[in-house]
């Protein structure tokens, strides 16, 4: 009947208690919902460990087994016992029962005596993976793998980390942008690009980074921008640090004097984010990952690349790369040096040669080196940052020098023809930060659903 | 030299004053940076309106023109005057000069007398667009178009809106996910899908929504999740409400009793976000868009679809669609009814027939209708929300009924075979919310860089 459209049936709203709330609840009737982690089906008593997104609790049921002599028995009690005996791991259910605080119960000091048990969705009896299954197998069944406490914690840490970074930026009047991932021209050259047919006669490319567009925001006078979003690399490599799709954390700021303004922002940002993670999850990270999250001190150490190579060489490692860059072992060596010398997990490596940098990095006229840096965290690169070249004639010359076609860069170069401030920024891989923070071997462990050359599902 | 890597040259850090800070600064030397909005080059005095990301200020220079009689003159003053005469709109520059408070100056009551003027990047003299250029032309030159105060404000509102939503969720222990955009199988059927070649022999599809994956997070026991990210629709339509790539705001929650739990969360979320926007930008929105942002009261009105159609018919509009859904005019009519009857800008339309809903919407066994809703805001749909069918046998039957192949849904259906809680969620188009909040005619006006069938650049 018209006339009552604002009616809400509040009786439909759940009265579920989260497992984390049980300890502070008084003894009495509660209702909990989660999934079956284990069942101990003993002759006289049954125990179920139920886990939800906040923790695990022990459910108990005094078993009522069919009387071998056929004596009359409570049908409901028999049915409940049989139901529990048949529960498979992973089954999602709701239990109502009597909460009792009991310090003898190791798991949280509480227990629930089951009164009613309602199955929401029963799991097939054979779980296809276990906690110790191989990584590839676990990724096939990622939604089961993610039920592990450690894996669940990863994404709560991710949530805290990102929110702390966005809060840092929002409090400083940065503008959040969502740049398009479909582009008419490649952003950073032609390598590692996914191409697709776009309405018949056009070719679109998937963005490898928001580089073009965060620079466009500078020409637009946005001042300071950030974006946390997906980028795509048709990168056939199978290392533990590479993915074909990943979440990139990007910022770009106007009116900088050098890349130092960018580096100073990034180190503050990371310190704030690590502090938030330590405050909220430090104890759990220590328990589940055996890691003490270290909030980095400011400023982070800075070492010019040429000097870093000398230090690495003096440590006995001769970098085979001939282009002047560090290789992964060189990154580990210089990070070990920084850890030993300055007690720091981070280091900015600065002053890269233009040959190993994109055309749009600004160069220092005195040294001929770029105004750019890489940020290493615990031995692995997580970021490239730079002051950008904003002078159109210099930018064009640098593009030509790299063998790029100016026609292919037409839209990008337009951004510099109608006025643009000096600017710079960085891009940082979210999964790399999480991997290194949690001492993991692979970004696959800290990615919700990894995508690689042979991994497009589930 | 090694040994001083932590050295930061703080003299490199800018001492720029933002225009918004000038009013509270004492008279004296200041440095401002921004772009030239207008130049008034009068014979005896020159005025430049300089805009930065926080506002606009008047710069003034007493003109020194070449003496026709060749009298000796201050060369620096002559050069500065000539430089200002040649300034083109959009040129980015830094001016140092004497700040003076003067209530006769309409623009903020302050003025800066130019001492030095340094051009960062000169704009070409002919700006290709004006504020009143056509939409398509403005989109060709979006980075210039975005310099307009109104357009800049849109993205500061976007920032506030999103941050308020994320904060609402984070405070309630939601987990932020980044679901993959590259998929091996279509998420919602085969229509409107972008396909691409993935490492030679595979085909990848671009996600049309995070639907599969936010449901996967429920099977993973994440409880409550959100994602704000890009989705892709190979949709050839040219309406003001459609794009081929857009930012989708998604949430999904476990252990719901009905779609009411989802709707109740969404209305609270929107009220919190609108409140944040009104608090931070209400005055500017009133000034630049002539709109009073209304924070919606709770609960939003709810009207079953069949009833909504009756109301629309009674208002004199006979919906031509024969599938039982509303059409755009029907949406406007029911929203007008709600505005007139309840004074509300939002309305949940509920109880859609399964024929016009995806197979995964749960159905009410009594009515045969789906446990789902659309949310209309000011006459336009911004959201579809629903309780999902989590019972695998029902889900498969509903998929088959829609003519879908179970093989194509294999990975998705797996999520339901190893336990999953009852759950539901919604997806909401960011640009639609902004468009309607700001009374704009097209999502193109509130999208950083719009993508459509004929729009893939810049």
């Amino acid at each position: 009947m018209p006339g009552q459209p604002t009616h809400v049936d509040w009786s439909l709203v759940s009265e579920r208690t989260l497992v984390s709330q049980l300890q502070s609840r008084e003894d009495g009737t509660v209702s909990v919902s989660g999934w079956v982690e284990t069942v101990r089906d003993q002759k006289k008593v049954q125990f179920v460990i139920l886990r939800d997104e906040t923790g695990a609790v022990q459910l108990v049921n005094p078993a009522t087994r069919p009387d071998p002599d056929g004596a009359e028995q409570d049908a409901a009690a028999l049915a409940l016992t049989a139901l529990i005996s048949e529960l498979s791991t992973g089954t999602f259910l709701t239990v109502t029962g009597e909460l009792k605080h009991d310090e003898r119960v190791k798991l949280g000091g509480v227990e629930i005596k089951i009164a009613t048990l309602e199955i929401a969705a029963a799991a097939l009896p054979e779980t296809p993976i276990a906690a110790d299954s191989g990584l590839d197998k676990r990724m096939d069944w990622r939604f089961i793998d993610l039920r592990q406490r450690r894996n669940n914690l990863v994404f709560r840490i991710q949530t805290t980390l990102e929110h702390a970074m966005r809060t840092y930026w929002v409090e400083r009047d940065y503008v959040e942008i969502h740049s398009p991932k479909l582009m008419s021209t490649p952003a950073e050259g032609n390598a590692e690009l996914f191409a697709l047919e776009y309405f018949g006669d056009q070719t679109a490319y998937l963005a490898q980074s928001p580089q073009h567009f965060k620079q466009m925001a500078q020409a637009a006078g946005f001042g300071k921008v950030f974006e946390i979003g997906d980028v795509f690399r048709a990168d056939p490599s199978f290392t533990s640090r590479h993915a074909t799709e990943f979440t990139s954390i990007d910022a770009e700021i106007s009116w900088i004097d050098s890349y130092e303004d960018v580096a100073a922002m990034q180190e503050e940002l990371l310190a704030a984010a690590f502090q938030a993670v330590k405050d909220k999850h430090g104890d759990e990270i220590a328990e589940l990952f055996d890691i003490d999250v270290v909030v980095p001190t400011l400023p982070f150490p800075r070492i010019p690349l040429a000097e870093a190579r000398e230090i690495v060489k003096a440590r006995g490692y001769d970098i085979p790369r001939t282009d002047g860059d560090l290789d992964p072992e060189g990154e580990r060596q210089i990070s070990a040096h920084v850890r030993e010398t300055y007690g720091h997990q981070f280091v900015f490596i600065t002053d890269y040669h233009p040959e190993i940098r994109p055309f749009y990095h600004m160069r220092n006229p005195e040294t001929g080196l770029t105004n750019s840096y890489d940020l290493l965290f615990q031995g692995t690169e997580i970021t490239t940052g730079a002051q950008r070249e904003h002078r159109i004639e210099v930018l064009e010359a640098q593009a030509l020098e790299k063998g790029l076609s100016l026609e292919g860069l037409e839209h990008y170069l337009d951004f510099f023809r109608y006025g643009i401030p000096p600017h710079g920024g960085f891009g940082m891989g979210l999964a790399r930060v999480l991997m290194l923070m949690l001492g993991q071997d692979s970004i696959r462990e800290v990615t919700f659903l990894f995508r690689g050359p042979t991994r497009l599902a589930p």
Side-chain angles (χ1 to χ4, degrees), chain A:
Chain A
M1 197 191 90
Q4 300 194 337
T6 59
H7 173 73
V8 178
D9 185 351
W10 293 108
S11 72
L12 294 178
V13 175
S14 171
E15 287 172 42
R16 175 186 179 207
T17 300
L18 293 171
V19 168
S20 62
Q21 300 169 325
L22 292 173
Q23 282 182 301
S24 60
R25 284 282 295 259
E26 283 181 25
D27 285 0
T29 303
V30 293
S31 176
V32 291
S33 298
W35 66 94
V36 174
E37 199 167 75
T38 55
V39 179
R40 266 193 299 144
D41 193 12
Q42 301 173 359
K43 191 169 180 224
K44 301 221 162 165
V45 63
Q46 298 174 302
F47 296 100
V48 176
I49 303 300
L50 177 105
R51 182 171 290 285
D52 73 5
E53 62 269 32
T54 69
V57 63
Q58 179 166 291
L59 314 177
V60 62
N61 182 51
T64 304
R65 308 288 179 183
D67 189 300
D69 304 328
E72 202 167 315
Q73 291 177 291
D74 181 338
L78 274 171
L80 178 60
T81 301
L83 188 62
I84 293 172
S85 292
E86 283 164 20
L87 282 180
S88 47
T89 303
T91 291
F92 279 69
L93 47 78
T94 293
V95 159
T96 302
E98 287 301 303
L99 173 70
K100 201 178 142 191
H101 286 69
D102 183 343
E103 59 188 20
R104 291 169 304 177
V105 179
K106 284 182 194 158
L107 193 62
V110 294
E111 193 174 67
I112 297 171
K113 187 172 170 229
I114 301 172
T116 68
L117 188 160
E118 189 187 351
I119 291 176
L124 289 178
E126 296 290 328
T127 307
I129 55 162
D132 61 352
S133 294
L135 179 56
D136 213 52
K137 182 107 181 175
R138 285 195 285 112
M139 286 164 59
D140 284 340
W141 300 97
R142 184 62 164 158
F143 61 100
I144 298 173
D145 186 43
L146 288 171
R147 291 178 189 163
Q148 289 184 61
R149 262 187 87 191
R150 270 166 65 114
N151 292 340
N152 181 287
L153 178 59
V154 168
F155 296 92
R156 287 187 287 119
I157 293 167
Q158 172 176 291
T159 305
T160 301
L161 187 80
E162 290 187 53
H163 197 63
M165 289 194 284
R166 292 198 190 95
T167 300
Y168 173 94
W169 283 319
V170 167
E171 286 176 350
R172 286 159 183 80
D173 293 325
Y174 282 64
V175 174
E176 175 163 11
I177 59 169
H178 298 285
S179 64
K181 307 310 165 201
L182 295 170
M183 307 176 70
S184 62
T185 48
E188 307 232 18
N190 289 292
E192 302 183 352
L193 266 180
F194 288 114
L196 58 128
E197 195 181 277
Y198 193 76
F199 297 99
D201 58 340
Q202 302 166 80
T203 299
Y205 302 93
L206 294 184
Q208 296 172 287
S209 88
Q211 186 63 36
H212 277 199
F213 303 123
K214 63 183 186 167
Q215 291 194 254
M216 189 190 99
Q218 308 306 304
F222 276 25
K224 297 175 285 191
V225 301
F226 71 90
E227 175 167 16
I228 300 183
D230 265 29
V231 295
F232 306 87
R233 305 268 166 99
D235 179 349
S237 66
F238 286 89
T239 83
S240 62
R241 309 181 311 282
H242 291 91
T244 55
E245 176 179 359
F246 62 93
T247 304
S248 183
I249 300 166
D250 278 87
E252 196 80 14
I253 54 179
S254 286
W255 298 109
I256 63 170
D257 292 306
S258 90
Y259 66 87
E260 258 302 334
D261 294 313
V262 181
M265 179 266 282
Q266 191 178 4
E267 63 189 3
E268 265 194 23
L269 175 81
L270 282 165
F274 274 54
Q275 185 69 60
V277 168
K278 190 179 180 69
D279 290 349
K280 189 155 185 178
H281 310 289
D283 293 345
E284 250 186 306
I285 293 171
E287 179 193 349
L288 297 178
F289 290 95
D290 197 21
I291 278 179
D292 181 30
V293 175
V294 177
V295 179
T297 54
L298 302 184
F300 295 179
R302 284 138 166 89
I303 305 179
L305 176 59
E307 199 176 292
R309 286 178 59 98
E310 279 173 33
I311 293 167
V312 169
K313 196 173 177 185
R315 289 174 67 89
Y317 178 64
D318 212 353
I319 297 169
R321 279 181 79 144
T322 56
D323 62 3
D325 204 351
L326 297 172
D327 62 357
E329 177 57 23
E331 291 178 352
R332 282 188 285 273
Q333 289 284 340
I334 192 66
S335 290
H337 164 79
V338 169
R339 191 177 61 244
E340 292 158 16
T341 314
Y342 308 104
H344 214 284
Q345 296 181 334
F346 290 88
V347 58
F348 287 114
I349 306 297
T350 66
D351 300 280
Y352 283 74
H353 194 278
E355 269 182 32
I356 49 176
R357 290 307 215 191
F359 75 95
Y360 52 79
H361 282 196
M362 186 180 268
R363 299 174 190 176
N364 181 327
E366 286 171 30
T367 63
L369 303 174
T370 60
N371 294 335
S372 74
Y373 65 81
D374 275 7
L375 176 58
L376 312 186
F377 173 37
Q378 307 220 74
T380 297
E381 183 220 314
I382 57 169
T383 286
T384 295
Q387 175 159 15
R388 321 303 182 185
E389 181 53 65
H390 65 278
R391 296 162 297 184
I392 179 70
E393 62 285 0
V394 182
L395 189 63
E396 288 183 343
Q398 292 183 179
L400 290 170
E401 187 196 296
K402 292 266 184 192
L404 296 171
S405 129
L406 297 189
E407 289 96 290
L409 293 166
E410 184 187 8
H411 292 300
Y412 177 68
L413 294 171
D414 272 342
F415 302 159
F416 300 83
R417 294 193 168 109
Y418 296 90
I420 192 163
H423 63 280
F426 70 82
M428 176 164 63
L430 172 60
R432 287 200 184 182
V433 177
L434 286 168
M435 170 182 80
L436 297 161
M437 174 191 269
L438 300 175
Q440 296 300 289
D441 292 332
S442 168
I443 56 170
R444 292 163 178 77
E445 295 283 2
V446 297
T447 304
F448 182 61
L449 274 171
F450 174 77
R451 291 293 184 250
T454 56
R455 172 62 65 185
L456 193 52

